[in-house]
Amino acid sequence: MRCTRALIYGENIRSNILEIKKLLNPSTKLCCAVKADGYGNSASIAAKIAVECGAEFLAIATVQEGIELQENGINANFILLSPCSPEEFTEVAAHNIIPVLFDEEMISTFDDVSKKFRKNKKHGVFLAIDTGMGRIGCLPEEASNLAKKINSSNNISLMGVITHFAVSDSISDENKEYTERQFKAFTSALNSIKSEGIDPGICSCSASAAAIANPEMQLDMIRPGIILYGYYPDEITQNYLESKGIHLNLRPAMQLETKIAAIRRFKAGESISYGRTWETTSETDIAVLPIGYADGLLRRLSPGLKVTINGKLYPVVGRICMDQCMVDIGINNHDVKRWDTAIIFGPKEGGALTDAADLAKMTSTIPYEIMTSITKRVPRILANA
């Protein structure tokens, strides 16, 4: 087993889901986002825990993600949130994955494909409405006609209607108002579908931010993502939620760690790594870590990144390489020795002094990118297993 690894604290995922469920209306269903390998936290680990905690649906972004989870024994309703090609529709139908459709061509194509796979009932689909995200979905005024087309089809039926908010993770007045406009557009589209005598099925508009900060927008189902894995969605911070009387205690799930492969002594004035961007100002010891940007430790994190070694922070110096990086541990540091663990980020209970949100702030990005950047060559290991 490689010493560079991502420990996944499954009990933290479980705790986060139970925290979320405390804030749900009794009738609101849970669709846990396990796409992008569970935001880097291992889709199979996250999916298993989510189902155990009562999630009725799991959200995926590619057909292959759903197939792999099914092959790993995960029995759930998989909603494919991203569009796929007509060639992929065969796999969608064969594996009973729920697609999200939003135009006549997609509806007709999937209706034809589903014909040879349907058994005793029609294949359920979701209708996507673009209320202001500008990504996928029909216009709100097109919703009722497309819902009619789905329900008049021979092999598919309307299971639900979905939309996605663009700025629900912002607390500015302007963006709050925009989210309200999206919500009103969505409810108006739902009413137009109902006016045609069609049951819209499961209505869902809220991912992590709106589901928690705007309880009235939970509707029939929420689709939490980042909060499953222990991070708050942008400006919807723990302090902000507490100010609104909403209590949500999240615990990061992933710990990225490695071990010190070597400790080398350098004299003053010697350079470290590519580009000679950093030089020693005095004699010092440099710890070499076998982790680099090919593992997802973003090159732009240097300079500035600090790693935790035995309860103290030490700076990464010089440029992060493809497979390695270097840390200044100071001269004759008896607290650090070869093969000690170096934690890049993680939860406090794992000994980390920084988390993915801290790394995200360094590079003006979000924890989502930090975690999903961790590549497949880094093994995901269930902590305390």
Side-chain angles (χ1 to χ4, degrees):
M1 178 66 70
R2 190 179 175 209
C3 65
T4 297
R5 60 184 189 169
L7 284 180
I8 308 302
Y9 285 78
E11 286 308 306
N12 287 7
I13 297 176
R14 189 183 307 277
S15 173
N16 295 336
I17 294 173
L18 295 179
E19 283 283 296
I20 295 163
K21 292 184 74 172
K22 290 178 186 177
L23 302 177
L24 291 188
N25 299 319
S27 61
T28 300
K29 300 179 186 298
L30 194 61
C31 174
C32 290
V34 297
K35 60 192 178 79
D37 197 27
Y39 289 36
N41 289 261
S42 172
S44 58
I45 291 175
K48 183 176 184 294
I49 294 169
V51 171
E52 289 173 353
C53 290
E56 295 94 336
F57 294 84
L58 299 175
I60 55 176
T62 70
V63 182
Q64 193 58 35
E65 287 177 344
I67 294 172
E68 288 177 2
L69 287 170
Q70 289 176 348
E71 290 174 345
N72 280 321
I74 305 298
N75 184 21
N77 298 302
F78 292 96
I79 301 179
L80 181 62
L81 294 181
S82 293
C84 62
S85 67
E87 292 78 15
E88 292 175 293
F89 272 154
T90 298
E91 294 289 346
V92 171
H95 289 271
N96 202 30
I97 292 169
I98 304 163
V100 172
L101 310 178
F102 51 89
D103 62 38
E104 291 192 5
E105 179 184 341
M106 296 177 79
I107 293 168
S108 297
T109 302
F110 191 65
D111 183 39
D112 289 340
V113 170
S114 298
K115 186 184 306 180
K116 61 181 178 181
F117 293 101
R118 62 170 289 201
K119 296 178 181 178
N120 298 323
K121 62 179 182 179
K122 295 182 178 182
H123 194 120
V125 304
F126 270 71
L127 174 65
I129 302 175
D130 182 6
T131 57
M133 177 66 181
R135 192 166 62 182
I136 65 168
C138 66
L139 296 176
E141 56 267 29
E142 299 171 329
S144 60
N145 283 335
L146 291 177
K148 282 193 289 186
K149 183 171 180 62
I150 290 171
N151 267 11
S152 65
S153 300
N154 294 320
N155 306 295
I156 62 177
S157 63
L158 187 62
M159 178 180 281
V161 183
I162 197 169
T163 195
H164 194 66
F165 294 140
V167 286
S168 59
D169 55 1
S170 171
I171 60 174
S172 75
D173 290 339
E174 179 184 1
N175 286 334
K176 284 182 179 179
E177 194 273 334
Y178 190 85
T179 300
E180 287 287 347
R181 289 212 313 267
Q182 281 196 262
F183 185 60
K184 289 177 181 177
F186 186 58
T187 54
S188 177
L190 295 177
N191 288 334
S192 72
I193 293 172
K194 293 174 184 176
S195 70
E196 296 290 341
I198 298 172
D199 180 0
I202 299 168
C203 302
S204 177
C205 60
S206 295
S208 290
I212 302 306
N214 303 90
E216 73 280 5
M217 297 182 185
Q218 290 178 2
L219 300 182
D220 300 320
M221 183 176 73
I222 66 165
R223 310 183 308 272
I226 193 65
I227 55 178
L228 298 176
Y229 307 105
Y231 292 95
Y232 297 87
D234 202 6
E235 296 177 12
I236 308 299
T237 63
Q238 186 173 22
N239 287 339
Y240 173 77
L241 292 172
E242 290 288 343
S243 73
K244 296 187 66 174
I246 300 171
H247 306 292
L248 181 68
N249 183 31
L250 299 178
R251 298 160 60 184
M254 179 192 286
Q255 178 162 299
L256 180 63
E257 64 177 38
T258 188
K259 292 185 182 295
I260 297 172
I263 296 176
R264 304 186 59 223
R265 178 71 50 89
F266 288 86
K267 297 177 182 178
E270 295 192 81
S271 62
I272 302 296
S273 196
Y274 290 113
R276 301 185 65 218
T277 60
W278 188 86
E279 288 187 355
T280 58
T281 56
S282 59
E283 191 174 31
T284 193
D285 292 331
I286 299 294
V288 181
L289 308 183
I291 184 171
Y293 59 77
D295 300 298
L297 188 63
L298 304 175
R299 188 174 184 265
R300 62 181 180 270
L301 286 167
S302 56
L305 177 64
K306 293 182 179 180
V307 302
T308 305
I309 304 172
N310 297 329
K312 295 181 181 179
L313 287 173
Y314 295 93
V316 170
V317 294
R319 288 176 177 162
I320 293 172
C321 308
M322 182 181 289
D323 311 299
Q324 300 168 64
C325 66
M326 282 64 76
V327 175
D328 184 5
I329 60 172
I331 195 77
N332 294 325
N333 187 341
H334 299 296
D335 293 328
V336 179
K337 61 184 182 298
R338 195 177 198 177
W339 304 120
D340 279 350
T341 296
I343 303 172
I344 311 302
F345 66 82
K348 292 179 181 178
E349 60 262 41
L353 297 178
T354 55
D355 60 24
D358 296 318
L359 271 61
K361 289 176 185 175
M362 288 177 52
T363 53
S364 300
T365 187
I366 51 180
Y368 308 66
E369 184 182 23
I370 297 297
M371 293 188 293
T372 58
S373 293
I374 307 306
T375 63
K376 285 288 189 181
R377 80 176 191 178
V378 178
R380 271 65 168 177
I381 308 298
L382 187 61
N384 303 322

